[in-house]
Structures are given as C-alpha cells and as structure tokens.
Amino acid sequence: MKLLVLIPAFNEENTISDVIEETKKNLPEADILVVNDGSTDRTKQILSNHKNIKALHLPFNMGIGGAIWTGFNFFCKKDYELLVRIDGDGQHPPAQARSLIEPLLKKEADLVIGSRFIKREGYLSSLHRRGGIKLLNILTAFLLKKEITDNTSGFRAYSRRAANLLRKDYPFDYPEPIEVYLLSQKGLKIKEIPTEMKEREGGVSSISLMHSYYYLIKVLLTILVNFLYGGKK
Amino acid sequence: MNPYPISPIQIVSITFSIFLLVLIAILIRKKKIREEYAILWILIFLIFLLLSIFRGAIDTISSLLGIQYQPASLFLILIASLFLLTFHFSLVISDMKKKINHLAMTLSILEESLSEEEKNSS
C-alpha cells in the first residue's frame, strides 16, 4: 500500500520539523508531502533542509482547504493509495496515525476521523468552540442520521476513492465538516477512532475567536445548501 | 407620442446615457472591457436612455406598481440595476478565484516535479 502523509503548513517554523521527524519515525514507509500554504516565515527554508520529503509551495496563502485540496490533487496524480493528513502545527500525534489507516486497510471505511471526543482525553479545544462542534454534531446527526463526535477534527485518513471524489468539488474555506457531508451523500463509509490531541504548539489557528462565529455560519450555510441540493438529485 | 415638453433634466440624462453608451462602445473597441462584462452595462444604460426619452414611462411604471412618489420608482430601478451588477461581479470574482486557485495548485505541483527532475539529473 503506497501511503502519503499530507502535512499542510502555514507559518509553522517552530513545529514543522518536529512533525516531520515524528512522522518519519512512526510511518517510515510513507512518503511525506508538506504543502507550504504561502508561509511568510522561515517554513520554506526549513523544508528545503529536510531530505526525503516532498514539498509543494503555494504562491499565496490559499487557506487550509486550498492546501488540502492541493495535496489531494498531488495524491491523485501519483499512484498513492492511502492518504493521511497530519497538521503542521503539532496538534495531531503522528504516533497515532497508524491506527487511522487500519480501518482503510480493512476496507471498513473510506474516511477515518481521529476524534478527541470519544475518550475525551488530551486537549479538547476551548469552551465556545466545543459549543460550535456540538451544534455541528447535532445537525449532522439530524441530517445524515449518523453520529460524528468530532466533525472539525483535521486528523484524518482517506482512501483513494474519497480523495478523488473530494478533489473534484472541494469546499475551500472550512472543509472538515463538509467533507463528511459530501462523502456521506455519495454513500462512502466514515469511521471515527479515538485520538488524543495537543494544544497547538505554534502558529495561529486558521479560525480565530472572531472568526469562529463566521466559520459556524458559513459551515451551516454550506451544509444546508449541500443537503437541500444533494437531496433533490 | 410624448405629451410632455422636453425638460432640462431630460436633456442632461439623455446626454449622459448616450455618453456612457459611447464610452462602453469605445472601451469594447479598444479591448479594455470584455464584451461579456459590458452587456449588463449596455442593457442598463439603454434602459436609462429609454426612461429619459419617454418621460411618461416612469409615471406609467409608478402607477402600475402603486408607487405614489414617482421618483421612488426611478430609484427602485436604479438600485435594482446596481444590485444586478454587483451580483454579476460576485459571480465573476468567484469564478476567477477558482481559476487562480487551480493555477496555483498546478504551478506548485509542476515546480515540485521540476526540482525532482533536477535532483535526479545532477
């Protein structure tokens, strides 16, 4: 199984090396692709010092969705079979990445999500963000008749089929909850496994406090439009 | 045809509408504006030209819509046109953003394979 680890990075000069080294240690057979999303710090230089990794440098900051989408396109262009996403800020533990791949190998799912909320250990995000996550979960349960405990987690593994479907019409801005909808609508299986996360070690979240409400409204809008539109087809 | 004598404001608005139409035509000729984006503008200027020539039209529209203050229907038409234009721009911008993202993605992948090839050949 050819495995690609996708690490999106935007201004992660303090953490990116650790994430790469940890990933190499835990998944020695995998190719590592870092998508540098138009970083303005030393991320690019740091990446050029790493050997045996692939790096894509976007000419401007596209946002997390753009970086993931670029990774999906790279993945689909080459003959990889499995994709794991590990964020460059050090939140996602590469040591647990292997457990994300297991259900894919057993063909139990096309998307595996590492959830913070199954065991409720480690860093669980701030209170008002958890409120937003909860609301998304209620909506998901209602619309998809499916329980996803951590819809915003970016610690995920994809089958080739899932990546190929998503790359065609990718939700650029805040992709994680929408991925679940798009794939469910196409009848792909989604599985969650318990993981622990750390509070980000460096960089700035793609969603600031002010933005989290905007995020929520935007995601809800996309979900509703997708659901209504997808339901008619 | 026109029951009203021509008024100064009519002369101003007719001249202005014709000026804008000519301006658009020149811009299209000089390839400064693409035809697809100019069509909406031309349509809107034409409507204003017609409204300026046939003054009674505003009265007719007002009474049809039940608007008592006639200038309000003029503003209504104006605002509706501007809405249409800005909406059109949102569509164009979204489309451009999509294409730019696609270019950036392709560029980054090409750059990578190029540097990979350089590494292999050296």
mmCIF file of all heavy atoms in Angstrom, chain A residues 54-60 62 69-70 73-74 77 172, chain B residues 97 100-102 104-105 107-109 111-113 116 119:
data_model
loop_
_atom_site.group_PDB
_atom_site.id
_atom_site.type_symbol
_atom_site.label_atom_id
_atom_site.label_comp_id
_atom_site.label_asym_id
_atom_site.label_seq_id
_atom_site.Cartn_x
_atom_site.Cartn_y
_atom_site.Cartn_z
ATOM 1 N N LYS A 54 8.712 15.539 0.195
ATOM 2 C CA LYS A 54 8.267 16.324 -0.950
ATOM 3 C C LYS A 54 7.622 17.591 -0.410
ATOM 4 O O LYS A 54 6.940 17.559 0.613
ATOM 5 C CB LYS A 54 7.248 15.545 -1.784
ATOM 6 C CG LYS A 54 7.841 14.276 -2.385
ATOM 7 C CD LYS A 54 6.750 13.397 -2.952
ATOM 8 C CE LYS A 54 7.268 12.000 -3.248
ATOM 9 N NZ LYS A 54 8.374 11.966 -4.210
ATOM 10 N N ALA A 55 7.842 18.692 -1.099
ATOM 11 C CA ALA A 55 7.229 19.937 -0.630
ATOM 12 C C ALA A 55 6.601 20.678 -1.801
ATOM 13 O O ALA A 55 7.194 20.791 -2.865
ATOM 14 C CB ALA A 55 8.272 20.814 0.051
ATOM 15 N N LEU A 56 5.373 21.124 -1.583
ATOM 16 C CA LEU A 56 4.724 21.986 -2.560
ATOM 17 C C LEU A 56 4.642 23.377 -1.953
ATOM 18 O O LEU A 56 4.245 23.532 -0.800
ATOM 19 C CB LEU A 56 3.310 21.491 -2.885
ATOM 20 C CG LEU A 56 3.166 20.086 -3.474
ATOM 21 C CD1 LEU A 56 1.696 19.787 -3.752
ATOM 22 C CD2 LEU A 56 3.976 19.938 -4.745
ATOM 23 N N HIS A 57 5.035 24.379 -2.734
ATOM 24 C CA HIS A 57 4.976 25.748 -2.215
ATOM 25 C C HIS A 57 3.918 26.527 -2.977
ATOM 26 O O HIS A 57 4.089 26.811 -4.165
ATOM 27 C CB HIS A 57 6.335 26.432 -2.354
ATOM 28 C CG HIS A 57 7.425 25.698 -1.636
ATOM 29 N ND1 HIS A 57 7.598 25.784 -0.273
ATOM 30 C CD2 HIS A 57 8.368 24.834 -2.076
ATOM 31 C CE1 HIS A 57 8.610 25.013 0.089
ATOM 32 N NE2 HIS A 57 9.098 24.419 -0.995
ATOM 33 N N LEU A 58 2.836 26.847 -2.307
ATOM 34 C CA LEU A 58 1.790 27.628 -2.966
ATOM 35 C C LEU A 58 2.248 29.082 -3.057
ATOM 36 O O LEU A 58 2.839 29.611 -2.117
ATOM 37 C CB LEU A 58 0.472 27.520 -2.193
ATOM 38 C CG LEU A 58 -0.128 26.113 -2.186
ATOM 39 C CD1 LEU A 58 -1.327 26.039 -1.255
ATOM 40 C CD2 LEU A 58 -0.537 25.705 -3.590
ATOM 41 N N PRO A 59 1.966 29.732 -4.197
ATOM 42 C CA PRO A 59 2.466 31.097 -4.387
ATOM 43 C C PRO A 59 1.782 32.135 -3.497
ATOM 44 O O PRO A 59 2.284 33.233 -3.333
ATOM 45 C CB PRO A 59 2.175 31.386 -5.864
ATOM 46 C CG PRO A 59 1.157 30.383 -6.276
ATOM 47 C CD PRO A 59 1.329 29.196 -5.397
ATOM 48 N N PHE A 60 0.653 31.791 -2.921
ATOM 49 C CA PHE A 60 -0.011 32.695 -1.978
ATOM 50 C C PHE A 60 -0.798 31.852 -0.991
ATOM 51 O O PHE A 60 -0.982 30.649 -1.200
ATOM 52 C CB PHE A 60 -0.948 33.679 -2.697
ATOM 53 C CG PHE A 60 -1.921 33.013 -3.627
ATOM 54 C CD1 PHE A 60 -3.124 32.524 -3.152
ATOM 55 C CD2 PHE A 60 -1.621 32.862 -4.981
ATOM 56 C CE1 PHE A 60 -4.018 31.895 -4.006
ATOM 57 C CE2 PHE A 60 -2.513 32.238 -5.837
ATOM 58 C CZ PHE A 60 -3.709 31.754 -5.351
ATOM 59 N N MET A 62 -3.643 30.111 0.466
ATOM 60 C CA MET A 62 -4.930 29.688 -0.075
ATOM 61 C C MET A 62 -5.902 29.329 1.024
ATOM 62 O O MET A 62 -7.078 29.136 0.776
ATOM 63 C CB MET A 62 -4.720 28.446 -0.945
ATOM 64 C CG MET A 62 -4.967 28.680 -2.416
ATOM 65 S SD MET A 62 -5.234 27.088 -3.167
ATOM 66 C CE MET A 62 -3.945 27.092 -4.348
ATOM 67 N N TRP A 69 -6.625 20.578 -0.619
ATOM 68 C CA TRP A 69 -7.059 20.305 -1.999
ATOM 69 C C TRP A 69 -5.858 20.083 -2.908
ATOM 70 O O TRP A 69 -5.844 19.182 -3.747
ATOM 71 C CB TRP A 69 -7.911 21.482 -2.473
ATOM 72 C CG TRP A 69 -8.341 21.450 -3.891
ATOM 73 C CD1 TRP A 69 -9.281 20.629 -4.444
ATOM 74 C CD2 TRP A 69 -7.893 22.302 -4.943
ATOM 75 N NE1 TRP A 69 -9.438 20.927 -5.773
ATOM 76 C CE2 TRP A 69 -8.596 21.947 -6.106
ATOM 77 C CE3 TRP A 69 -6.961 23.353 -5.014
ATOM 78 C CZ2 TRP A 69 -8.394 22.596 -7.327
ATOM 79 C CZ3 TRP A 69 -6.772 23.988 -6.209
ATOM 80 C CH2 TRP A 69 -7.476 23.611 -7.358
ATOM 81 N N THR A 70 -4.823 20.924 -2.725
ATOM 82 C CA THR A 70 -3.595 20.762 -3.498
ATOM 83 C C THR A 70 -2.974 19.391 -3.211
ATOM 84 O O THR A 70 -2.542 18.695 -4.130
ATOM 85 C CB THR A 70 -2.597 21.890 -3.161
ATOM 86 O OG1 THR A 70 -3.236 23.145 -3.412
ATOM 87 C CG2 THR A 70 -1.342 21.800 -3.993
ATOM 88 N N ASN A 73 -4.849 16.638 -4.959
ATOM 89 C CA ASN A 73 -4.537 16.598 -6.390
ATOM 90 C C ASN A 73 -3.196 15.918 -6.649
ATOM 91 O O ASN A 73 -3.055 15.150 -7.593
ATOM 92 C CB ASN A 73 -4.551 18.012 -6.973
ATOM 93 C CG ASN A 73 -5.947 18.452 -7.345
ATOM 94 O OD1 ASN A 73 -6.518 17.961 -8.305
ATOM 95 N ND2 ASN A 73 -6.509 19.330 -6.554
ATOM 96 N N PHE A 74 -2.214 16.229 -5.782
ATOM 97 C CA PHE A 74 -0.900 15.586 -5.891
ATOM 98 C C PHE A 74 -1.057 14.078 -5.698
ATOM 99 O O PHE A 74 -0.568 13.275 -6.490
ATOM 100 C CB PHE A 74 0.044 16.177 -4.844
ATOM 101 C CG PHE A 74 1.433 15.628 -4.895
ATOM 102 C CD1 PHE A 74 2.385 16.215 -5.712
ATOM 103 C CD2 PHE A 74 1.794 14.536 -4.126
ATOM 104 C CE1 PHE A 74 3.677 15.711 -5.771
ATOM 105 C CE2 PHE A 74 3.082 14.022 -4.181
ATOM 106 C CZ PHE A 74 4.017 14.614 -5.003
ATOM 107 N N LYS A 77 -2.683 12.393 -8.602
ATOM 108 C CA LYS A 77 -1.837 12.394 -9.799
ATOM 109 C C LYS A 77 -0.838 11.250 -9.773
ATOM 110 O O LYS A 77 -0.500 10.669 -10.799
ATOM 111 C CB LYS A 77 -1.075 13.729 -9.867
ATOM 112 C CG LYS A 77 -1.415 14.541 -11.118
ATOM 113 C CD LYS A 77 -0.568 15.772 -11.201
ATOM 114 C CE LYS A 77 0.102 15.744 -12.532
ATOM 115 N NZ LYS A 77 1.000 16.800 -12.814
ATOM 116 N N PHE A 172 -13.521 24.888 -0.105
ATOM 117 C CA PHE A 172 -12.234 25.506 0.160
ATOM 118 C C PHE A 172 -12.067 26.099 1.548
ATOM 119 O O PHE A 172 -11.000 26.039 2.128
ATOM 120 C CB PHE A 172 -11.977 26.606 -0.875
ATOM 121 C CG PHE A 172 -11.030 26.152 -1.919
ATOM 122 C CD1 PHE A 172 -11.370 25.099 -2.737
ATOM 123 C CD2 PHE A 172 -9.794 26.746 -2.060
ATOM 124 C CE1 PHE A 172 -10.487 24.646 -3.691
ATOM 125 C CE2 PHE A 172 -8.911 26.301 -3.005
ATOM 126 C CZ PHE A 172 -9.253 25.256 -3.832
ATOM 127 N N LYS B 97 -11.491 33.406 -8.794
ATOM 128 C CA LYS B 97 -10.800 32.862 -7.638
ATOM 129 C C LYS B 97 -10.571 31.359 -7.829
ATOM 130 O O LYS B 97 -9.501 30.841 -7.537
ATOM 131 C CB LYS B 97 -11.634 33.125 -6.386
ATOM 132 C CG LYS B 97 -10.812 33.087 -5.135
ATOM 133 C CD LYS B 97 -11.587 33.517 -3.928
ATOM 134 C CE LYS B 97 -10.826 33.105 -2.689
ATOM 135 N NZ LYS B 97 -11.590 33.292 -1.470
ATOM 136 N N ILE B 100 -7.787 30.928 -10.322
ATOM 137 C CA ILE B 100 -6.483 31.289 -9.758
ATOM 138 C C ILE B 100 -5.986 30.175 -8.844
ATOM 139 O O ILE B 100 -4.822 29.781 -8.888
ATOM 140 C CB ILE B 100 -6.573 32.628 -8.997
ATOM 141 C CG1 ILE B 100 -6.792 33.770 -9.988
ATOM 142 C CG2 ILE B 100 -5.316 32.878 -8.170
ATOM 143 C CD1 ILE B 100 -7.110 35.093 -9.328
ATOM 144 N N ASN B 101 -6.896 29.643 -8.017
ATOM 145 C CA ASN B 101 -6.514 28.539 -7.136
ATOM 146 C C ASN B 101 -6.038 27.344 -7.939
ATOM 147 O O ASN B 101 -5.064 26.686 -7.576
ATOM 148 C CB ASN B 101 -7.695 28.147 -6.256
ATOM 149 C CG ASN B 101 -7.896 29.121 -5.117
ATOM 150 O OD1 ASN B 101 -6.968 29.801 -4.706
ATOM 151 N ND2 ASN B 101 -9.113 29.212 -4.630
ATOM 152 N N HIS B 102 -6.723 27.084 -9.025
ATOM 153 C CA HIS B 102 -6.340 25.949 -9.858
ATOM 154 C C HIS B 102 -4.940 26.158 -10.438
ATOM 155 O O HIS B 102 -4.121 25.238 -10.467
ATOM 156 C CB HIS B 102 -7.363 25.765 -10.975
ATOM 157 C CG HIS B 102 -7.521 24.339 -11.363
ATOM 158 N ND1 HIS B 102 -8.578 23.567 -10.949
ATOM 159 C CD2 HIS B 102 -6.725 23.535 -12.090
ATOM 160 C CE1 HIS B 102 -8.420 22.346 -11.408
ATOM 161 N NE2 HIS B 102 -7.319 22.299 -12.120
ATOM 162 N N ALA B 104 -2.556 28.047 -9.130
ATOM 163 C CA ALA B 104 -1.564 27.958 -8.056
ATOM 164 C C ALA B 104 -1.267 26.506 -7.725
ATOM 165 O O ALA B 104 -0.105 26.122 -7.541
ATOM 166 C CB ALA B 104 -2.070 28.693 -6.819
ATOM 167 N N MET B 105 -2.336 25.691 -7.682
ATOM 168 C CA MET B 105 -2.161 24.271 -7.369
ATOM 169 C C MET B 105 -1.302 23.590 -8.438
ATOM 170 O O MET B 105 -0.320 22.918 -8.129
ATOM 171 C CB MET B 105 -3.551 23.626 -7.273
ATOM 172 C CG MET B 105 -3.576 22.162 -6.948
ATOM 173 S SD MET B 105 -3.528 21.126 -8.408
ATOM 174 C CE MET B 105 -5.164 21.377 -9.074
ATOM 175 N N LEU B 107 0.739 24.961 -10.556
ATOM 176 C CA LEU B 107 2.092 25.525 -10.518
ATOM 177 C C LEU B 107 2.944 24.847 -9.453
ATOM 178 O O LEU B 107 4.079 24.437 -9.714
ATOM 179 C CB LEU B 107 2.022 27.027 -10.259
ATOM 180 C CG LEU B 107 3.353 27.740 -10.113
ATOM 181 C CD1 LEU B 107 3.995 27.926 -11.472
ATOM 182 C CD2 LEU B 107 3.184 29.076 -9.423
ATOM 183 N N SER B 108 2.357 24.691 -8.245
ATOM 184 C CA SER B 108 3.158 24.129 -7.161
ATOM 185 C C SER B 108 3.541 22.680 -7.462
ATOM 186 O O SER B 108 4.658 22.261 -7.168
ATOM 187 C CB SER B 108 2.407 24.232 -5.835
ATOM 188 O OG SER B 108 1.278 23.397 -5.834
ATOM 189 N N ILE B 109 2.623 21.925 -8.075
ATOM 190 C CA ILE B 109 2.928 20.525 -8.394
ATOM 191 C C ILE B 109 3.983 20.455 -9.508
ATOM 192 O O ILE B 109 4.919 19.651 -9.453
ATOM 193 C CB ILE B 109 1.640 19.759 -8.779
ATOM 194 C CG1 ILE B 109 0.734 19.633 -7.551
ATOM 195 C CG2 ILE B 109 1.976 18.371 -9.324
ATOM 196 C CD1 ILE B 109 -0.578 18.930 -7.802
ATOM 197 N N GLU B 111 6.286 22.722 -10.173
ATOM 198 C CA GLU B 111 7.566 23.133 -9.582
ATOM 199 C C GLU B 111 8.239 21.961 -8.877
ATOM 200 O O GLU B 111 9.434 21.754 -8.993
ATOM 201 C CB GLU B 111 7.332 24.257 -8.564
ATOM 202 C CG GLU B 111 7.561 25.635 -9.129
ATOM 203 C CD GLU B 111 7.332 26.699 -8.062
ATOM 204 O OE1 GLU B 111 6.882 26.364 -6.951
ATOM 205 O OE2 GLU B 111 7.617 27.854 -8.351
ATOM 206 N N GLU B 112 7.404 21.202 -8.151
ATOM 207 C CA GLU B 112 7.934 20.075 -7.396
ATOM 208 C C GLU B 112 8.525 19.043 -8.331
ATOM 209 O O GLU B 112 9.644 18.568 -8.118
ATOM 210 C CB GLU B 112 6.821 19.462 -6.534
ATOM 211 C CG GLU B 112 7.309 18.571 -5.417
ATOM 212 C CD GLU B 112 7.516 17.141 -5.829
ATOM 213 O OE1 GLU B 112 6.922 16.718 -6.864
ATOM 214 O OE2 GLU B 112 8.274 16.448 -5.157
ATOM 215 N N SER B 113 7.796 18.712 -9.413
ATOM 216 C CA SER B 113 8.309 17.662 -10.303
ATOM 217 C C SER B 113 9.545 18.153 -11.054
ATOM 218 O O SER B 113 10.437 17.380 -11.376
ATOM 219 C CB SER B 113 7.220 17.179 -11.266
ATOM 220 O OG SER B 113 6.613 18.247 -11.911
ATOM 221 N N GLU B 116 12.416 17.895 -8.655
ATOM 222 C CA GLU B 116 12.685 16.465 -8.504
ATOM 223 C C GLU B 116 13.557 15.968 -9.670
ATOM 224 O O GLU B 116 14.530 15.257 -9.474
ATOM 225 C CB GLU B 116 11.343 15.717 -8.484
ATOM 226 C CG GLU B 116 11.396 14.347 -7.886
ATOM 227 C CD GLU B 116 11.466 14.368 -6.362
ATOM 228 O OE1 GLU B 116 11.662 15.442 -5.740
ATOM 229 O OE2 GLU B 116 11.355 13.296 -5.805
ATOM 230 N N LYS B 119 17.094 17.215 -9.398
ATOM 231 C CA LYS B 119 17.821 16.441 -8.403
ATOM 232 C C LYS B 119 18.311 15.133 -9.017
ATOM 233 O O LYS B 119 19.442 14.711 -8.806
ATOM 234 C CB LYS B 119 16.904 16.162 -7.208
ATOM 235 C CG LYS B 119 17.333 16.890 -5.933
ATOM 236 C CD LYS B 119 16.530 16.391 -4.753
ATOM 237 C CE LYS B 119 15.422 17.384 -4.384
ATOM 238 N NZ LYS B 119 14.426 16.787 -3.482
#
